[in-house]
Amino acid sequence: MDPVLHDHLPFAPWTDPVTRKLPGTRPADAGDWAAVDEAYAGQMALRDRFLTEARDKVLALLPEGCAAADELLRLGLDHAATLPGFSRTANHLTRPDGVTIEVERDDPLGTLGHMFQQDLCILERGSTAHILTGAVLCFPSGWTLSEKIGRTLDRLHRPVPSYDDPMAKRVQRMFDGLKTGRPIWRANAHSAFTGDLFTPRREADPRPAHDGISPYLRSERQVLFRLPETGAIVFSILTIVIRRESLTPAQARALEEHPLKEI
């Protein structure tokens, strides 16, 4: 099967001094967490398949995350009504790609996974840090949901070398300070030797070795916002994979100055 690719990279984080550095956040618009772009139909076809055939690998929800997941579904249904291409009856939603899905209130993350091309993670404050209590993660990049569910922020980022103790404390302060109605976004980018969107890896597995220049670039546009009722943090991830030749000349020149890591 051919990979589902975007035809351009809307934002290249290596081109901006702010977003080149961790965590590199900027203010986001209220609706940025779930938008529709040119890869929507292709990505949604994959999401439908993963959620049907491999649900245990792409969705997890702890009991303590249920209230936040319910709130997020209500918010998602309201948000979809503002986006072009969505229409809804009482129990069904028709998407921009023409597919009609059932709105299952008792399966909030599953329903959201069939609605939006963004992966969605729910993090809630524990005694010392935020904990991943639920996620629909169809397009993992170098991590496995079953290893991360129920883990704290610092544990989620194991074994990322740059996520040291000072960075962990900085990110935790950012989560604690996030205000309702004031979302933020950041982006990352990596070179990639495959166009596949589903690229999990367990913590103990080594990074695959490759030679030569990678044919693809993979980027995640991540939006963080606080739910008003439960206070949970939602981490929305739009995954973009493009061929290197799809970069603009300015993006390509900047990439030569700021090379990316391979994944």
Side-chain angles (χ1 to χ4, degrees), residues 117-245:
Q117 66 190 110
Q118 288 79 7
D119 284 322
L120 298 166
C121 301
I122 295 172
L123 297 108
E124 300 185 73
R125 192 65 161 90
S127 58
T128 61
H130 278 78
I131 298 168
L132 181 67
T133 60
V136 54
L137 184 76
C138 294
F139 305 147
S141 178
W143 59 294
T144 301
L145 181 56
S146 61
E147 283 191 322
K148 305 297 186 178
I149 191 69
R151 304 294 190 178
T152 57
L153 270 175
D154 58 340
R155 183 62 177 75
L156 288 176
H157 288 85
R158 186 183 297 177
V160 180
S162 58
Y163 203 89
D164 53 14
D165 187 60
M167 178 57 64
K169 292 178 180 178
R170 184 178 176 187
V171 172
Q172 184 58 59
R173 287 195 299 269
M174 180 181 70
F175 271 63
D176 287 337
L178 193 60
K179 304 297 183 183
T180 301
R182 298 178 62 183
I184 58 176
W185 72 274
R186 66 175 302 273
N188 62 27
H190 305 277
S191 57
F193 279 83
T194 174
D196 294 342
L197 288 164
F198 184 76
T199 57
R201 187 175 69 246
R202 300 190 68 84
E203 292 178 359
D205 294 340
R207 289 179 177 271
H210 297 286
D211 295 321
I213 298 175
S214 62
Y216 301 101
L217 292 176
R218 179 173 178 137
S219 178
E220 295 177 347
R221 190 178 191 276
Q222 305 164 349
V223 178
L224 290 87
F225 64 98
R226 185 180 295 277
L227 294 173
E229 295 176 14
T230 59
I233 302 295
V234 177
F235 190 74
S236 165
I237 309 167
L238 172 65
T239 301
I240 297 173
V241 179
I242 65 167
R243 299 188 188 278
R244 278 185 179 266
E245 55 263 32

Side-chain angles (χ1 to χ4, degrees), residues 40-61:
Y40 180 88
Q43 289 196 352
M44 293 310 300
L46 287 177
R47 298 178 72 81
D48 290 344
R49 193 182 82 193
F50 294 151
L51 284 164
T52 300
E53 300 176 1
R55 179 184 168 96
D56 60 327
K57 295 181 179 179
V58 300
L59 190 149
L61 180 61

